[in-house]
C-alpha cells in the first residue's frame, strides 16, 4: 500500500538528550572557507529546527540534493568536547542510526548516509587560517575543507555578495550568491 509519501524523501529524526544553545541543519551547496562556524556554508538550505524540542522528525526534499547536509548542535552550557556534529549525504535506500559525534544527540537517517573521516587533518597544512585556533578547531570548517577536497564543492568567490531570499521548499532564509550589479 502506498501511503502517498515519497519513498526517496530524506528523513532525519533527532533525539536530543542534552540541552543545546544552537542547533542547525544546513544543506550545503557552496562554501566560504574564509569564514568559520555556520557562516562558512555560504549558500545552503537550512531546515527549521527547534532546539528546545527533544524529538524532531524532519523531511527534506530529495530532488536536487545538496553536496551534503551538516547538523551542528552546541550544548548549553558550552563545552567544546560536547559539541555534536554529523555530516551526511544523499544515498537512496540507505539508513543509519547513531550519535552525532558525541553521546547526547541521537540521529536516525533515511535515504542518506553519514560522512566520517573528517577532522582537523582535513584542513590543508598550507591554509593560512589553519593557524587560527577558532578556525582549526571549528568542526564546521573542518568538514567544509573535507567537502572541498573530497567532493569538490564550489567555493564562493569573495567578490560575490550574499543576498537572503525566502524559499518555499524550506520556509526559511537561503543565502544566494549573486554577482555584483545583478
Amino acid at each position: 500500500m502506498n501511503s502517498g509519501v515519497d519513498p526517496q524523501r530524506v528523513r532525519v529524526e533527532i533525539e536530543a538528550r542534552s540541552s543545546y544553545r544552537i542547533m542547525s541543519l544546513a544543506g550545503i551547496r557552496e562554501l566560504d572557507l574564509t569564514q568559520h562556524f555556520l557562516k562558512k556554508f555560504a549558500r545552503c538550505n537550512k531546515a527549521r529546527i527547534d532546539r528546545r524540542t527533544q524529538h524532531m522528525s524532519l523531511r527534506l526534499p530529495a530532488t536536487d540534493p545538496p553536496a551534503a547536509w551538516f547538523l551542528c548542535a552546541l550544548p548549553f552550557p558550552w563545552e567544546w568536547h560536547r559539541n555534536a556534529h554529523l555530516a551526511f549525504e544523499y544515498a537512496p535506500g540507505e539508513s543509519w542510526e547513531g550519535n552525532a559525534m558525541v553521546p547526547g544527540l541521537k540521529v536516525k537517517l533515511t535515504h542518506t548516509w553519514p560522512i566520517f573521516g573528517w577532522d582537523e587533518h582535513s584542513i590543508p597544512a598550507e591554509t593560512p587560517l589553519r593557524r587560527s585556533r577558532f578556525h582549526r578547531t571549528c568542526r564546521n570548517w573542518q568538514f567544509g575543507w573535507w567537502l572541498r577536497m573530497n567532493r569538490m564543492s564550489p567555493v564562493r568567490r569573495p567578490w560575490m555578495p550574499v543576498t537572503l531570499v525566502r524559499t518555499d521548499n524550506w520556509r526559511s532564509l537561503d543565502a544566494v550568491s549573486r554577482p555584483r550589479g545583478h
Side-chain angles (χ1 to χ4, degrees), residues 10-177:
V10 171
R11 185 176 180 137
V12 180
E13 296 176 53
I14 301 170
E15 180 184 339
R17 296 184 206 122
S18 299
S19 296
Y20 292 95
R21 176 180 306 228
I22 294 172
M23 190 178 295
S24 174
L25 176 61
I28 306 161
R29 297 190 178 279
E30 203 170 88
L31 301 168
D32 181 352
L33 295 170
T34 65
Q35 302 289 320
H36 71 94
F37 194 49
L38 298 174
K39 294 176 186 176
K40 179 199 50 41
F41 303 137
R43 191 168 76 89
C44 63
N45 304 106
K46 290 188 179 171
R48 286 182 177 243
I49 292 185
D50 183 354
R51 64 179 172 77
R52 296 173 300 254
T53 304
Q54 186 175 8
H55 297 278
M56 290 171 266
S57 183
L58 306 166
R59 291 176 116 31
L60 308 174
T63 55
D64 188 30
W69 285 277
F70 193 82
L71 176 64
C72 173
L74 305 182
F76 182 79
W78 185 82
E79 292 179 62
W80 184 85
H81 69 278
R82 290 183 39 229
N83 292 357
H85 297 83
L86 184 65
F88 50 99
E89 60 191 338
Y90 184 56
E94 298 291 341
S95 62
W96 178 87
E97 187 171 347
N99 287 317
M101 215 169 182
V102 295
L105 192 67
K106 184 178 176 185
V107 180
K108 182 177 180 183
L109 304 172
T110 305
H111 298 300
T112 64
W113 193 252
I115 300 171
F116 297 115
W118 52 270
D119 203 335
E120 189 175 321
H121 72 275
S122 303
I123 307 163
E126 66 277 3
T127 303
L129 289 174
R130 189 179 205 279
R131 291 187 292 266
S132 162
R133 183 178 59 87
F134 292 110
H135 284 81
R136 186 181 64 251
T137 61
C138 175
R139 292 189 180 123
N140 298 1
W141 203 63
Q142 293 168 0
F143 179 68
W145 272 108
W146 184 94
L147 194 61
R148 175 70 181 126
M149 303 305 285
N150 293 279
R151 296 292 191 273
M152 296 304 291
S153 289
V155 176
R156 183 171 67 87
R157 288 165 179 66
W159 57 267
M160 294 180 79
V162 172
T163 305
L164 295 177
V165 297
R166 187 163 293 281
T167 61
D168 292 334
N169 285 346
W170 295 86
R171 292 189 207 107
S172 63
L173 294 177
D174 181 17
V176 178
S177 298

